[in-house]
Amino acid sequence: QVQLVESGGGLVQAGGSLRLSCVVSGNIFSDSSMDWYRQAPGQERELVAQITTGGSTNYADSVKGRFTISRDNFKKTVYLQMNNLKPEDTGDYYCHARFSRVVNVEGATVKKEYWGQGTLVTVSS
């Protein structure tokens, strides 16, 4: 039903750039804030970037000034532009959706979370 499919990962040299994409199927995107997480080998999964339904953004300190999150509401796609990549950026990158919708006139809401399968980014020195 609802699926998040990431793409764009690969091998890049330090200082290079990659752009990740996450295509969201199902009728949730317009009511979902979107996140990018990453997990390095042997490390905990960490939040990298966030974008709300209104387009406000937040970034982890480690990527601020180098990464940019954006969304295309018509294509139902969220992007992560990664510039000046460093070896410590290596890891599996995951797309995450935080869905919230008012479903009746009484104001009842439905909230759900969805995860993509991940895409591997490897930055060589």
Side-chain angles (χ1 to χ4, degrees):
Q1 192 172 353
V2 174
Q3 285 188 305
L4 280 61
V5 180
E6 302 102 327
S7 63
L11 175 64
V12 66
Q13 295 182 6
S17 298
L18 285 174
R19 189 177 76 158
L20 307 182
S21 299
C22 173
V23 179
V24 180
S25 62
N27 188 26
I28 70 160
F29 188 79
S30 63
D31 295 315
S32 297
S33 294
M34 302 296 300
D35 311 315
W36 284 99
Y37 286 77
R38 70 185 180 189
Q39 187 167 21
Q43 302 293 313
E44 298 179 358
R45 187 171 297 185
E46 64 174 342
L47 179 64
V48 175
Q50 299 179 303
I51 186 166
T52 69
T53 56
S56 298
T57 60
N58 289 292
Y59 299 93
D61 288 341
S62 59
V63 307
K64 201 169 297 182
R66 300 187 298 120
F67 290 12
T68 303
I69 188 171
S70 61
R71 65 191 294 158
D72 185 326
N73 290 328
F74 185 76
K75 294 182 177 179
K76 297 182 179 181
T77 301
V78 63
Y79 304 95
L80 186 67
Q81 178 67 48
M82 305 184 294
N83 297 326
N84 192 24
L85 283 161
K86 306 176 184 297
E88 51 262 43
D89 295 319
T90 293
D92 287 306
Y93 283 70
Y94 298 90
C95 185
H96 178 244
R98 290 175 282 124
F99 170 77
S100 180
R101 180 180 291 168
V102 178
V103 296
N104 61 33
V105 295
E106 288 76 33
T109 61
V110 171
K111 293 185 177 181
K112 296 181 179 180
E113 297 185 13
Y114 303 92
W115 288 93
Q117 82 289 345
T119 185
L120 177 62
V121 172
T122 303
V123 184
S124 62
S125 60

